[in-house]
Structure formats: C-alpha cells, structure tokens
C-alpha cells in the first residue's frame, strides 16, 4: 500500500479532491446564472424599446405590442430553462465531485478498499 | 450555500461509502446524440431566423413559404425529446430541498409549474431535466412560428434578385420562311409580354431604393395603404434569436457538463 490507510489520510485525500472537483463545477454555475440573468435584463429592455419604436416610426421599425407580448412569454420560458439548468448543474457537479473522490480513493488506497469499491 | 452543499456532499459520500457503492448517478448519463442534435438544431435555427430577417417583406420570407421548415425543426426536436424521455426515470426534474426553497423565495407564486409541483427530497435526481429543457426549446420554436405567421407584418417588397423571365422554346420557334429580323422581333415581343405580365402581378417593388408603385390597388388594402405580408421583422428576429438561444444553451450547458464528467 503506497499510503497509510487511516482516517486522517482518507479525510485529507477527500478534502483535497473535493476542493478541486467542486471548484471547477461551482465556477461554472457561478458564471452561468448571473450571465444569463444579465442577458434577460438586456432583452426585456430591448423588447420595450422596440415596441415603442414601432409606434413612433409608424410601423417601419421595431415590432408590434402583440409581438412584444409573445417575446416576453418566450423570455419567461427561457428564464424557467435557466433555473432548471442550474438545478441540474448542481446535481451534475455533486455527482462529478463524488465520483472523482471515489476514483482517487480507489487509486490511493487500492488494496484496502479493493473488496468494497 | 457552499458550506451547506459541502456538508451535504460529505454526508452523501459517507452514505455511499457505508453502502459500498462505487459511484453515484444523479443525472441521466451523457448522451452524444442529444448533445450533437442540440448543436445542429441551434445552427439550423440561427440560419433560418437570419434568413427570414433578410427576406422579410418578400414572398420568400412569408410564413406560408416557410411553414415546412418549422415542421422540419419541430420534428428534429420531437426526436430528441423522445430520446430524453426514454432515459428519464419518470420523476421529473427534482431539486434539492435547499435550492427549491431558495427558488421559491425568489419567485413566490410566479414559480414555473414544473418547479412548484416538483417533489423535493434528499435523493433528488435530474433524469427528467433534459426532457424539460428540450420541451422548453420546442415551446420557443412554437412561439417564434406564431410570431412569423400571426403577429409580425412587413410591407411587401421585391426580393432584390433579378427576375428571370422564362419563355417557352416552342413559342420562339420561327415560322416558316421568316427572316432573322422577324425571329428576333418575335422573341423580343415574347420577352416584353412576359415582363409586362410579371410586373402587373408585382404590387410594390423596391429596387435600389426606387419605389415602383403598382398600377392597381392591392387586394384587401385601403387606397393609399401599402400591402403587407407575414414576416419576421429584423428587430423581432434579433430578439427572438437571443431568447431562443438562451433556452438552447440551458439544455446544452447541462449536456456539456455531463460530457465533461464522462471524459
């Protein structure tokens, strides 16, 4: 056995791997959600501007209030998708982290864990 | 939140260790067909919407001329949804209790139906998340189609392309004993006649900024009113594409995370 199989060493390995595994995953989620919320804000402002432009330009520019209404509905659907994606990403990240830790535990304490992992 | 999740993670890990489980699976496995299918669909939708914006106000850009394209894209999504559904455990897309509480506090009664009705447990999984995300992508396509066919209207304009007038070869066949001049005159007369016929059916043509008004009032329009057709206005196309891409990216980012984990 290359490393002593004791509580202290197992915990140390787990903690080290957890920081690495969670670090990557959380960074992705942390960047993804705020960036999408910012896009939503920009689009909602854009919809109201285009509806106003349609009226002021005698229907030559922008789009109608009816179109604006459907676009807002689409924006709401997109927002729901972002929430669903974030919840799924949390689970993907946890799964990835747990499996990464198991992999390292298996490699580090191979002979001691061989029978159960 | 990070500390709570880390604590939860360690608890899950301990549980797995006690149970002797070698690896965990909270989400449906990475599926290359769904990943590639989404990438292809995004390219197809972006191209279609950009084309529609360029063709707005022309016969080629009307909803009627492009209905089949919508059917094609919808079918592509249906196949992906069916595939995701077959991998789902039937539990929908479940949230962890902590995250569900947070989402509920942000949205109150405005939370999406799928979230408010979702059961929440410590053994939550996201096997059904991909299916829900793909269904949302399909909803966006249906809304885009509705705008194209119902709410957006554009003034009719020429496509800008040079109209090729086809004249049947038989009609140009020279009569017996006719001279070369007569043959040429006959051909020119045929072409002029065809052009005239084409122009009368053109209600309004904008060529190089010059507006050619039709000689008669277009059907269904009041005097002085310009003819309009169904279209995707350029401004609509820009906003709708940005929103649709958000929904596609939501599904794609999850598949991509699974893909990274599968490597």
């Amino acid at each position: 056995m290359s490393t002593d199989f004791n509580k202290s060493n197992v915990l140390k390995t787990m903690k080290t791997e957890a920081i690495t595994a969670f670090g990557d995953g959380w960074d992705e989620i942390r960047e993804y959600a705020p960036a999408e919320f910012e896009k939503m804000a920009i689009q909602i402002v854009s919809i109201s501007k285009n509806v106003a432009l349609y009226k002021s330009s005698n229907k030559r520019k922008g789009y109608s209030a009816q179109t604006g209404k459907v676009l807002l509905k689409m924006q709401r659907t997109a927002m729901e998708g972002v929430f669903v994606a974030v919840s799924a990403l949390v689970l993907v990240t946890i799964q990835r982290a747990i499996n990464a830790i198991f992999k390292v535990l298996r490699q580090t304490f191979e002979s001691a864990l061989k029978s159960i992992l | 939140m990070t500390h709570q999740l880390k604590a939860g993670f360690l608890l899950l890990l301990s549980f797995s260790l006690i149970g002797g489980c070698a690896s965990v699976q909270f989400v449906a496995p990475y599926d290359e067909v769904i990943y590639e299918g989404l990438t292809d669909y995004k390219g197809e939708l972006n191209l279609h919407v950009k084309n529609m914006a360029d063709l707005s106000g022309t016969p080629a850009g009307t909803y009627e001329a492009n209905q089949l394209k919508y059917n094609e894209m919808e079918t592509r999504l249906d196949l992906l949804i069916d595939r995701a559904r077959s991998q789902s455990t039937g539990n929908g897309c479940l949230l962890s209790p902590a995250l569900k509480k947070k989402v509920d506090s942000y949205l109150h009664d405005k939370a999406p139906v799928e979230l408010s009705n979702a059961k929440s447990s410590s053994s939550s999984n996201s096997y059904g998340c991909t299916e829900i995300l793909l269904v949302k992508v399909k909803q966006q396509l249906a809304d885009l189609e509705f705008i194209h066919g119902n709410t957006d209207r554009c003034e009719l304009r020429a496509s800008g392309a040079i109209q090729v007038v086809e004249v049947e070869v038989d009609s140009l066949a020279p009569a017996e004993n006719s001279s070369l001049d007569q043959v040429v005159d006959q051909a020119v007369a045929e072409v002029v006649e065809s052009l005239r016929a084409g122009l009368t059916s053109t209600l309004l043509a904008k060529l190089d900024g010059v507006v050619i008004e039709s000689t008669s009032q277009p059907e269904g329009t009041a005097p002085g009113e310009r003819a309009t057709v169904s279209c995707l206005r350029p401004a609509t196309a820009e906003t709708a594409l940005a929103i649709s891409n958000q929904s596609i990216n939501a599904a794609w980012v999850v598949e991509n995370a699974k893909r990274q984990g599968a490597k």
Side-chain angles (χ1 to χ4, degrees):
Chain A
M1 197 184 303
S2 57
T3 310
D4 288 340
F5 185 64
N6 57 44
K7 185 189 156 192
S8 172
N9 279 337
V10 170
L11 195 61
K12 194 178 160 191
T13 306
M14 282 167 63
K15 278 182 178 173
T16 309
E17 192 53 34
I19 289 164
T20 312
F22 265 125
D24 292 348
W26 286 127
D27 283 349
E28 281 170 27
I29 296 170
R30 220 178 273 146
E31 284 167 19
Y32 171 70
E36 294 305 306
F37 291 147
E38 198 177 325
K39 283 184 206 166
M40 286 176 203
I42 291 168
Q43 277 139 214
I44 288 167
V45 171
S46 168
I47 291 169
S48 66
K49 278 185 178 172
N50 275 297
V51 170
L53 189 61
Y54 182 80
K55 286 176 189 163
S56 65
S57 69
N58 194 25
K59 301 181 183 179
R60 288 189 180 276
K61 292 176 182 170
Y63 38 77
S64 67
Q66 290 95 322
T67 294
K69 207 171 175 179
V70 183
L71 287 169
L72 266 180
K73 182 181 165 242
M74 287 176 74
Q75 188 58 77
R76 186 190 161 98
T77 306
M79 193 185 284
E80 291 171 6
V82 169
F83 276 117
V84 173
V86 169
S87 65
L89 282 172
V90 169
L91 292 169
V92 171
T93 307
I94 292 171
Q95 176 185 300
R96 234 159 76 180
I98 289 176
N99 290 335
I101 290 166
F102 268 103
K103 194 176 167 190
V104 170
L105 284 176
R106 209 168 20 231
Q107 286 165 354
T108 316
F109 307 105
E110 196 185 354
S111 48
L113 293 170
K114 172 166 73 174
S115 59
I116 55 167
L117 285 179
Chain B
M1 185 178 174
T2 307
H3 290 301
Q4 284 173 332
L5 281 162
K6 279 186 178 173
F9 153 75
L10 286 171
L11 195 70
L12 275 168
L13 185 62
S14 309
F15 175 79
S16 302
L17 271 171
I18 291 163
C21 181
S23 67
V24 294
Q25 187 81 44
F26 296 138
V27 293
Y30 166 65
D31 186 336
E32 195 177 355
V33 173
I34 291 178
Y35 180 82
E36 296 292 341
L38 267 172
T39 308
D40 289 348
Y41 172 75
K42 188 177 178 183
E44 199 177 353
L45 180 80
N46 279 254
L47 179 65
H48 169 70
V49 173
K50 281 172 186 165
N51 284 345
M52 290 304 99
D54 287 347
L55 292 169
S56 61
T58 69
T62 61
Y63 171 69
E64 292 73 21
N66 292 280
Q67 197 178 357
L68 294 181
K69 185 66 190 171
Y70 286 101
N71 291 347
E72 195 183 303
M73 290 191 289
E74 194 184 327
T75 305
R76 187 188 280 266
L77 286 174
D78 279 338
L79 291 172
L80 294 179
I81 291 167
D82 277 351
R83 192 174 172 93
R85 189 172 292 143
S86 70
Q87 294 166 355
S88 162
T89 54
N91 291 326
C93 178
L94 301 181
L95 292 170
S96 63
L99 192 64
K100 186 176 187 300
K101 201 176 164 188
K102 197 142 201 161
V103 170
D104 285 344
S105 73
Y106 283 139
L107 295 177
H108 301 292
D109 58 333
K110 299 276 187 285
V113 182
E114 291 92 339
L115 289 185
S116 10
N117 292 346
K119 281 179 273 177
S120 184
S121 74
S122 55
S123 61
S124 297
N125 71 41
S126 74
Y127 274 69
C129 292
T130 305
E131 183 189 342
I132 289 175
L133 289 167
L134 290 171
V135 167
K136 295 202 177 298
V137 172
K138 193 183 162 188
Q139 280 172 6
Q140 303 285 40
L141 180 66
D143 285 335
L144 182 72
E145 187 177 0
F146 181 79
I147 290 174
H148 197 169
N150 297 283
T151 67
D152 259 11
R153 305 291 298 177
C154 296
E155 282 180 15
L156 189 63
R157 65 181 172 92
S159 62
I162 297 166
Q163 190 178 356
V164 178
V165 179
E166 290 180 12
V167 180
E168 284 182 25
V169 177
D170 285 352
S171 69
L172 290 176
E176 263 185 74
N177 304 321
S178 58
S179 68
L180 182 62
D181 285 347
Q182 282 172 320
V183 172
V184 172
D185 285 349
Q186 185 193 344
V188 169
E190 292 277 357
V191 171
V192 168
E193 191 54 40
S194 300
L195 275 171
R196 191 174 290 145
L199 282 175
T200 49
S201 66
T202 304
L203 303 173
L204 186 69
K206 283 182 185 174
L207 294 169
D208 297 323
V210 180
V211 178
I212 305 166
E213 297 286 352
S214 68
T215 50
S216 60
Q217 184 62 32
E219 204 177 323
T221 58
E225 190 184 338
R226 288 165 190 265
T228 60
V229 287
S230 61
C231 67
L232 265 189
R233 297 170 75 93
T236 307
E238 194 182 335
T239 312
L241 199 54
I243 297 172
S244 299
N245 279 339
Q246 249 190 320
S247 288
I248 298 169
N249 288 345
W252 190 84
V253 81
V254 174
E255 285 310 303
N256 194 43
K258 288 188 208 168
R259 185 170 176 246
Q260 299 297 323
K263 276 181 183 174

